[in-house]
Amino acid sequence: MKIFVTGSNGFVGSYVAARLLADGHEVYASSRTGDQSAFNSNKNYRFIQVDFSDPFALHDAFEFVQPDVVVHSGAMSKPDDCELKQADAFDTNVFGTVQLLLNAEAYQSFFIYLSTDFIFDGEQGLYKEEDKPSPVSYYGKTKMDAEEAVMEYQHGWAIVRTSFVYGKPLYGRGNFITMIAEKLKQGSPSM
Ligand SMILES: NC(=O)c1ccc[n+]([C@@H]2O[C@H](COP(=O)([O-])OP(=O)(O)OC[C@H]3O[C@@H](n4cnc5c(N)ncnc54)[C@H](OP(=O)(O)O)[C@@H]3O)[C@@H](O)[C@H]2O)c1
């Protein structure tokens, strides 16, 4: 299967790409910056550098790949950054997702969207799929808006509302655990 993975330099996207390659799929990994993986020698791996909030560049990428499946794990994923740079967060998380959906439509690709528990306010706990989102952060709002766009998609979709993913980075970006380890190494008392 031809699978287009966004955010492949990211923590989640790198593991998604690695897993799909191990399962024998044709992986078209993409990120805004250049490839940071060590997968280039794998014949099933291609990297496409593209900003998914650029409609023209994204159109070219889809024309080339014509994916069966899109795994959209690219995002502006840090809540603090989204709060401070709301226009950028909207562009990346909402507008970018809509551009991906519009392109996926042309090839009837199945669309998998990485979302978050931040779409909820946390008051209730133990949320179910059908519970009403009520984000308290701008990050959560952009992810909720993107989910709503995904739910309108006509050719099959899934939303993964994951929460606090951590572990050893394969390459590319770190995560909460590596950030704490770095601070400890520096002897820094604060986050
Ligand atoms: N990690 C968690 O604990 C967690 C928890 C809940 C939900 N999630 C969700 O899971 C997904 C993956 O999170 P993550 O932690 O793996 O994120 P991450 O490490 O911050 O990686 C984000 C990726 O998105 C790419 N990206 C951002 N803007 C882009 C753009 N305009 N065009 C193309 N690529 C762009 C980045 O590319 P460059 O590096 O090349 O700039 C990077 O590869 C996100 O949707 C996030 O909201 C994550």
Side-chain angles (χ1 to χ4, degrees):
M1 224 182 257
K2 278 196 285 184
I3 307 184
F4 185 72
V5 180
T6 70
S8 66
N9 282 340
F11 182 62
V12 175
S14 60
Y15 273 94
V16 169
R19 179 70 220 196
L20 293 173
L21 280 174
D23 287 350
H25 294 289
E26 244 179 280
V27 175
Y28 292 81
S30 77
S31 276
R32 190 175 29 195
T33 55
D35 192 10
Q36 293 177 34
S37 82
F39 298 140
N40 256 322
S41 57
N42 188 315
K43 67 174 174 34
N44 283 335
Y45 182 80
R46 292 287 283 265
F47 181 82
I48 299 175
Q49 186 172 352
V50 66
D51 179 340
F52 54 65
S53 62
D54 174 344
F56 298 105
L58 192 65
H59 180 80
D60 289 348
F62 267 76
E63 214 166 46
F64 177 69
V65 180
Q66 309 199 358
D68 300 307
V69 176
V70 175
V71 182
H72 181 27
S73 56
M76 196 160 149
S77 64
K78 293 198 172 65
D80 288 355
D81 291 350
C82 293
E83 217 58 53
L84 292 171
K85 297 179 184 165
Q86 297 195 352
D88 290 349
F90 182 87
D91 243 26
T92 304
N93 292 354
V94 185
F95 183 75
T97 303
V98 170
Q99 293 311 311
L100 282 156
L101 288 163
L102 289 172
N103 280 283
E105 182 118 51
Y107 304 99
Q108 305 194 359
S109 324
F110 189 84
F111 198 94
I112 301 174
Y113 176 61
L114 264 295
S115 188
T116 169
D117 57 348
F118 272 52
I119 62 157
F120 297 118
D121 60 19
E123 291 294 322
Q124 174 190 318
L126 297 176
Y127 287 98
K128 298 187 196 64
E129 281 179 38
E130 54 279 8
D131 285 332
K132 198 172 173 320
S134 52
V136 290
S137 64
Y138 194 72
Y139 167 68
K141 182 174 172 356
T142 60
K143 299 296 284 185
M144 177 189 76
D145 289 348
E147 276 198 10
E148 284 173 4
V150 173
M151 288 177 198
E152 298 284 319
Y153 182 68
Q154 298 295 315
H155 301 290
W157 54 267
I159 293 173
V160 183
R161 287 178 182 152
T162 187
S163 152
F164 194 40
V165 192
Y166 61 91
K168 189 173 175 210
L170 284 183
Y171 55 84
R173 295 193 180 193
N175 56 70
F176 193 61
I177 297 297
T178 50
M179 193 170 84
I180 292 173
E182 211 42 55
K183 293 277 175 189
L184 287 172
K185 272 189 218 156
Q186 291 163 3
S188 169
S190 72
M191 290 303 297

